[in-house]
Amino acid sequence: MAIVASDAPLFAEVDMGADSSAPTVRATVVQASTIFYDTPATLDKAERLLAEAAGYGSQLVVFPEAFIGGYPRGSNFGVTIGNRTAKGKEEFRKYHASAIDVPGPEVERLAAMAGKYKVYLVMGVIERDGYTLYCTVLFFDSQGHFLGKHRKIMPTALERIIWGFGDGSTIPVFETPIGKIGAAICWENRMPLLRTAMYAKGIEIYCAPTADSREVWQASMTHIALEGGCFVLSANQFCRRKDYPPPPEYEFSGTEQDLTPDSIVCAGGSVIISPSGSVLAGPNYDGEALISADLDILQVFQQIVWHPVTIRKTDTTMNTQLEIIPSVSHVAVLFLEQNSVSDHYQCWPDLGEIARAKFDFDVVGHYSRPEVLSLVVRDHPATPVTFTSASAKTEGSHK
């Protein structure tokens, strides 16, 4: 949508009653579509979005599941029980070609982007390891260093025919100056033992890249925030049929005949939730957007007085009007800029809640019963082939 710029302020300044000197972390979840089968163009788009988020002061930016490499929504890769078609195999070849090696040149570029814009970056990718693909999240610090990765440990349903299974060696929680950051991808967020492992590592900023845009997803995100006493940042793509290649190159199995180029095939729903379960920003189902909130992990309790705000902006080129009327629980602001990459929704809530939430419920602390229930995490790499000669050489080197 083209937006007509004006000299008037683009957002309303609201007195939130907060101490402006309190340390905060501005976090953004990106809601945008992959450019399917075109990884270089998707990287270019990622940089534009990252630059825009950094321009709004974001220090942490989270992208959706499989943003680099693409989420193959609607495809069945020609698979039926006992048969795989030649067309499906060719689809997998193209999908494999769109994936990235970790480490590799695309990882180096993402690291450089994080360093250039001075942000912590959490990026969903399709990782290529030989001829096996993994749905992976990559982590980068604001100095441009690659911190590590998380591989999805349980792909959902038909995802299992195209993605391998991660193991316990890639369930990291990184301690950073802005908080302890980790991620779980889409429906593995519904795995209570995986969540428990992350809680035990002290996660504070829980990233949940996803492909699930159903409203019920919001209940899972709220539950995790309450259960873990952590901030939850869920990023999903917003996609229309035209964001994928046209048929017959790419077909949405069983629904293609019902779709137009503008049909929404993934409606987003990206959201940021506080440790008390309050929605801080989102969920957004309107289109591509940057959705942000200021996280203050250390801030002491303060009373916030919310002011109702209505922002209206008319686009004379399209004779349409945009209107944002926030709920009583948060203030949402739509930044309108000429030639901006996307709409930007942002809010400034009270977020000093981790300690207060843990006082009520610490799932791996005072609310646990390890003498009754305990968890063992096998966090070593699980390799399919081990060579005894390599083991013998390792043992000999220690003699």
Side-chain angles (χ1 to χ4, degrees):
M1 176 177 290
I3 301 298
V4 178
S6 72
D7 295 330
L10 296 181
F11 58 94
E13 296 187 14
V14 180
D15 179 11
M16 303 301 293
D19 178 3
S20 61
S21 66
T24 60
V25 175
R26 184 159 297 173
T28 294
V29 292
V30 173
Q31 181 166 288
S33 173
T34 300
I35 302 174
F36 211 80
Y37 288 154
D38 195 338
T39 296
T42 301
L43 285 164
D44 290 342
K45 181 175 183 177
E47 181 158 10
R48 292 195 300 272
L49 292 164
L50 194 63
E52 186 175 353
Y56 292 123
S58 296
Q59 298 156 274
L60 168 65
V61 182
V62 181
F63 278 77
E65 176 180 12
F67 186 78
I68 306 296
Y71 187 83
R73 187 175 300 277
S75 179
N76 61 16
F77 289 86
V79 172
T80 55
I81 299 298
N83 186 56
R84 287 155 299 284
T85 67
K87 182 176 184 295
K89 292 179 180 181
E90 174 61 14
E91 288 178 8
F92 181 78
R93 183 200 65 78
K94 291 189 289 186
Y95 191 53
H96 179 272
S98 298
I100 67 172
D101 296 325
V102 180
E106 293 86 1
V107 177
E108 292 174 2
R109 180 174 177 189
L110 290 168
M113 287 160 49
K116 177 180 179 180
Y117 298 105
K118 305 300 181 188
V119 299
Y120 285 82
L121 173 61
V122 179
M123 175 65 73
V125 308
I126 299 303
E127 177 191 359
R128 180 177 55 222
D129 188 353
Y131 291 95
T132 298
L133 303 180
Y134 294 92
C135 184
T136 298
V137 169
L138 306 181
F139 301 85
F140 303 87
D141 71 15
S142 59
Q143 302 304 307
H145 301 125
F146 173 51
L147 298 177
K149 68 185 179 184
H150 164 61
R151 283 177 172 174
K152 192 174 188 176
I153 65 171
M154 177 51 71
T156 299
L158 210 61
E159 293 173 357
R160 296 172 198 165
I161 69 170
I162 54 168
W163 296 340
F165 292 46
D167 59 38
S169 68
T170 66
I171 311 176
V173 172
F174 297 101
E175 188 162 358
T176 77
I178 65 171
K180 297 177 181 177
I181 304 172
I185 306 170
C186 206
W187 274 23
E188 67 177 0
N189 283 286
R190 299 170 67 171
M191 301 174 70
L193 299 184
L194 174 61
R195 298 198 307 269
T196 301
M198 296 172 67
Y199 300 151
K201 293 185 176 186
I203 191 166
E204 295 169 330
I205 301 175
Y206 187 116
C207 303
T210 188
D212 192 341
S213 62
R214 299 172 306 157
E215 289 187 12
V216 72
W217 179 254
Q218 303 301 318
S220 291
M221 296 299 95
T222 301
H223 173 77
I224 291 170
L226 288 167
E227 180 182 64
C230 52
F231 299 106
V232 173
L233 285 63
S234 183
N236 193 7
Q237 298 194 31
F238 183 93
C239 307
R240 299 182 185 275
R241 176 61 184 89
K242 63 187 177 184
D243 292 317
Y244 287 81
E249 180 183 4
Y250 190 103
E251 294 184 355
F252 279 68
S253 179
T255 61
E256 186 64 58
Q257 64 277 10
D258 300 323
L259 300 175
T260 69
D262 287 324
S263 294
I264 297 171
V265 295
C266 183
S270 302
V271 69
I272 300 176
I273 301 176
S274 82
S276 68
S278 299
V279 174
L280 305 175
N284 177 282
Y285 297 99
D286 298 329
E288 293 198 341
L290 303 176
I291 300 151
S292 301
D294 286 351
L295 315 182
D296 184 355
I297 296 172
L298 301 178
Q299 182 181 335
V300 297
F301 176 77
Q302 54 189 302
Q303 180 66 33
I304 296 299
V305 178
W306 297 102
H307 299 265
V309 176
T310 300
I311 301 171
R312 292 182 174 87
K313 181 74 173 181
T314 300
D315 179 354
T316 57
T317 65
M318 298 183 69
N319 195 30
T320 60
Q321 188 177 74
L322 304 176
E323 183 173 323
I324 303 298
I325 303 178
S327 69
V328 295
S329 62
H330 69 283
V331 173
V333 178
L334 174 63
F335 287 82
L336 309 174
E337 288 193 355
Q338 194 171 15
N339 300 321
S340 69
V341 176
S342 63
D343 292 339
H344 186 90
Y345 298 83
Q346 187 146 350
C347 62
W348 288 267
D350 165 35
L351 298 174
E353 294 183 358
I354 285 183
R356 298 196 299 278
K358 298 286 190 181
F359 176 65
D360 287 340
F361 183 84
D362 187 351
V363 68
V364 290
H366 64 77
Y367 223 91
S368 64
R369 287 293 303 279
E371 75 280 15
V372 179
L373 302 167
S374 62
L375 171 66
V376 176
V377 179
R378 297 174 181 86
D379 59 356
H380 59 278
T383 55
V385 180
T386 300
F387 294 95
T388 57
S389 59
S391 300
K393 290 178 182 178
T394 301
E395 292 175 2
S397 66
H398 291 295
K399 292 181 179 178

